[in-house]
Amino acid sequence: MRKSFMKNILLDGLRASKKKNTASDVIDLLRMEYRVDLTLKGFSLLFEASITRFNNYCLPMLFIDCTFVTWKFKGGFMVACGKTGNQEISPIAFGIVLCKNCESWQWFLTNLKGIIREDRPLTIISDRGIGLLKHVPEIFPNAHHSYCLYHMKGNIPVPKGKSIQTAVKLFGQCYTALTKENLYVAAKSMSNLKLDLVIAWMMKIPFDNLAAHAFIGERFGENTSNIAESFNNVIKHDKRLPALELVDSLRAKVIEQNYKRLLESKKWAARLTPCMQARFNKRITDFRSYKFRISSEKVFEIIYPIGKHPVDLDSRICSCKWWQKHSFPCTHAMKAMLQIGNDEPYKYIIPYYTSDYYRMLYSRPIYHIPDSENPPGITEKGYVLPPNSGRGQTGRPNVVRYKGHREKVRKKRKCG
C-alpha cells in the first residue's frame, strides 16, 4: 500500500466528488472495492541497536507499562524499558494498540519475547494489570515477575478509622524486608494496630512476586516500575501526535540521548559508572568504624556497633542479605574485600556496572525508520499479527472508577 498506488486509485475520484471526503470514506472505499482494511490494529516498534544493547549490556530487567495516547484516534501506548549500569532508562520496545486489554498485552509481549535472549535470568517488574498477570507467566515462563510497590500501595484496603499512612508504611516494610524475621516484625505491627484487612489482602498475593526475601530472581534494588512511568512522562507532550509522527519523535529523542551519553562516557576515568562509583565510595566511608575477624582466606566476620555479620566471598553471601538482593556488595562485604586487596571489590561487581560495558552499550547507532518510499527488506515469516480488537471503545475508558472511602468526592453541580 504505497503512496503511488493510493494516488492512482483515489485521485480521480476525489476530484470528481462534490462532497468533502473523510478518512472513513477512503477506508470504506478500499474495503468494498479492493478488500483492503486500513484500520489500525496494532503497531510495534523495536530498534535493532536497543535490542542488542539490552541483550548484552543492560541489566536483565524489563519495566513494562502502558499509557494512553491523546491524539485524535485514541489508543494505548505500551512500552518496555531496561536499566543501564548507570541507573538510567534504556527504552527497548514500543507498541501502539487500540485499547489496553488482554489481547493487546498478549500481542505486545509475544513480539517482545522474540527479541529477548533466554540464556539470562530475566526479571519483569510491572503493575498487577489483568492482562499482565495472565500473559507474563505464559509468554515468559522462565522469567521472575515482580509486582510494582507503588501500584500496590494505591490498592491497599485500609479499614475505616485507621491511618492510611501507617498502613502504607508497614506494607512497604513487608515488601522490602530482606529476611523473614523482618517481615514478621512488620506483620506483627499490623496485627497490633488491627490492620487485619490489610494482612488478609496480602495473603492472597503470591509471596514469590511480592516480598523481597521470597523473590527468587534479582531485582537489583528496584521495587517499582517507575522507570517506565518516567519514560511516559518524557513523552507526555508527544502523545497527542499521530502514530507515525509519534514514532519518529521517539526515534529522534532516543538518538539524541544515545549520542549525548556516549560522549559523556568517554570522559569517565573510573572503572565503574559515576552512579555506582559514588555508591562504591559511600560503602568505604560507612565501614570505617567496623572491625573484622578472619575465619579463612575468603570467610570473614564483620563486627559493627549494633551486631555482626558473617561474609563468605566465594559464595557471595552476607547474612544481612543486601548483597544477594541488590546484586552489589554491602558495607560488610566491602570491608572483607578490602582486607585482601584494593582491587578485590572489582572482582565481585557485575560487569553491567562498569564503564566499559556502558560505552559498548551506546556504541551501535540507530538508523532511520523505513517508510513507503524506502521499504525494508523483510519477510513475513515469524511476524506476530496484531490483536483483533474489533470496533469497541478505544483509548482510556470513560467510566467513573470506584472511589475509596477516604477519597474526597466532588458532587457534580448543575445550574437550574
Side-chain angles (χ1 to χ4, degrees):
M1 188 61 66
R2 299 205 180 182
K3 291 180 182 178
S4 57
F5 172 74
M6 293 283 289
K7 183 180 70 172
N8 291 336
I9 64 174
L10 295 177
L11 190 60
D12 294 337
L14 292 175
R15 283 176 175 172
S17 176
K18 294 182 179 180
K19 70 170 186 175
K20 184 179 179 181
N21 288 271
T22 63
S24 60
D25 294 332
V26 176
I27 291 175
D28 292 339
L29 172 65
L30 291 171
R31 183 183 293 113
M32 290 186 294
E33 296 291 336
Y34 299 95
R35 297 182 181 179
V36 175
D37 188 5
L38 291 184
T39 307
L40 175 65
K41 295 182 178 180
F43 185 89
S44 179
L45 175 67
L46 308 105
F47 296 121
E48 182 185 2
S50 298
I51 297 169
T52 305
R53 178 184 308 155
F54 177 79
N55 284 331
N56 296 282
Y57 307 114
C58 276
L59 296 172
M61 294 185 69
L62 279 177
F63 302 84
I64 300 176
D65 193 26
C66 181
T67 186
F68 292 96
V69 293
T70 55
W71 53 304
K72 182 178 178 181
F73 301 101
K74 308 298 181 184
F77 184 79
M78 296 179 171
V79 59
C81 291
K83 184 180 178 184
T84 71
N86 200 35
Q87 309 296 305
E88 296 166 340
I89 301 173
S90 179
I92 308 300
F94 316 99
I96 298 176
V97 293
L98 283 179
C99 55
K100 179 182 175 182
N101 54 22
C102 289
E103 290 77 15
S104 297
W105 275 121
Q106 183 182 22
W107 168 75
F108 180 71
L109 293 173
T110 304
N111 274 285
L112 193 60
K113 181 180 174 61
I115 65 167
I116 301 298
R117 276 173 47 189
E118 299 186 9
D119 58 342
R120 299 191 303 171
L122 181 66
T123 298
I124 297 176
I125 299 184
S126 69
D127 60 11
R128 296 174 63 240
I130 297 176
L132 290 167
L133 289 178
K134 178 180 179 181
H135 293 296
V136 167
E138 292 179 359
I139 300 174
F140 293 95
N142 298 323
H144 307 289
H145 191 191
S146 176
Y147 301 152
C148 173
L149 174 60
Y150 176 80
H151 288 88
M152 295 191 71
K153 284 180 177 179
N155 297 328
I156 296 177
V158 183
K160 289 185 178 181
K162 301 297 181 181
S163 171
I164 189 171
Q165 289 84 3
T166 302
V168 167
K169 180 181 177 181
L170 291 174
F171 173 75
Q173 292 177 4
C174 293
Y175 185 99
T176 58
L178 298 178
T179 61
K180 191 180 294 185
E181 292 75 18
N182 292 339
L183 173 67
Y184 287 156
V185 169
K188 183 66 175 177
S189 300
M190 280 188 182
S191 180
N192 293 338
L193 294 173
K194 308 296 183 183
L195 295 173
D196 297 331
L197 186 63
V198 180
I199 297 176
W201 173 74
M202 287 174 53
M203 295 300 292
K204 296 178 182 178
I205 304 172
F207 263 45
D208 291 347
N209 306 98
L210 171 67
H213 83 277
F215 189 71
I216 302 174
E218 292 184 275
R219 285 178 177 166
F220 300 94
E222 291 291 336
N223 298 317
T224 67
S225 60
N226 287 351
I227 280 187
E229 296 281 357
S230 299
F231 183 80
N232 291 337
N233 187 58
V234 169
I235 63 169
K236 64 180 180 181
H237 298 298
D238 300 322
K239 291 192 291 185
R240 63 176 180 267
L241 298 174
L244 294 181
E245 293 183 24
L246 172 60
V247 166
D248 199 54
S249 176
L250 285 173
R251 181 184 65 89
K253 287 180 183 293
V254 173
I255 287 176
E256 292 176 0
Q257 187 67 264
N258 289 359
Y259 183 65
K260 180 181 176 181
R261 290 177 178 176
L262 181 61
L263 290 181
E264 290 276 339
S265 63
K266 289 181 179 180
K267 303 175 184 177
W268 298 347
R271 296 168 67 173
L272 303 180
T273 60
C275 183
M276 304 313 295
Q277 187 65 45
R279 187 178 297 183
F280 181 92
N281 295 338
K282 188 177 184 302
R283 295 280 193 276
I284 296 176
T285 304
D286 291 343
F287 70 60
R288 285 179 178 174
S289 61
Y290 292 5
K291 299 180 180 179
F292 65 93
R293 297 191 186 102
I294 301 178
S295 178
S296 70
E297 186 178 354
K298 293 296 180 68
V299 178
F300 293 77
E301 185 180 60
I302 307 302
I303 304 167
Y304 65 109
I306 59 174
K308 54 187 177 181
H309 285 292
V311 175
D312 187 345
L313 298 181
D314 283 334
S315 302
R316 304 193 178 205
I317 291 175
C318 178
S319 61
C320 73
K321 303 294 184 181
W322 180 276
W323 192 2
Q324 298 93 296
K325 297 301 180 182
H326 289 75
S327 302
F328 193 82
C330 58
T331 52
H332 316 107
M334 198 73 75
K335 177 72 174 181
M337 293 173 190
L338 289 176
Q339 305 311 311
I340 300 175
N342 292 333
D343 290 337
E344 191 69 14
Y346 296 104
K347 299 177 183 179
Y348 297 92
I349 296 176
I350 56 179
Y352 302 111
Y353 293 142
T354 61
S355 299
D356 292 338
Y357 256 56
Y358 189 90
R359 294 187 191 99
M360 296 171 69
L361 193 148
Y362 292 109
S363 60
R364 289 177 64 90
I366 293 178
Y367 298 98
H368 72 281
I369 297 177
D371 55 20
S372 60
E373 305 299 334
N374 186 15
I378 57 176
T379 61
E380 297 183 357
K381 184 178 180 180
Y383 269 50
V384 182
L385 297 179
N388 185 14
S389 301
R391 290 189 172 270
Q393 182 182 9
T394 61
R396 183 185 294 274
N398 55 11
V399 296
V400 179
R401 68 177 180 85
Y402 292 105
K403 301 286 186 181
H405 68 275
R406 294 179 177 275
E407 291 188 71
K408 293 182 180 180
V409 181
R410 290 187 178 182
K411 295 183 179 179
K412 295 183 179 179
R413 298 179 181 273
K414 293 185 178 180
C415 179

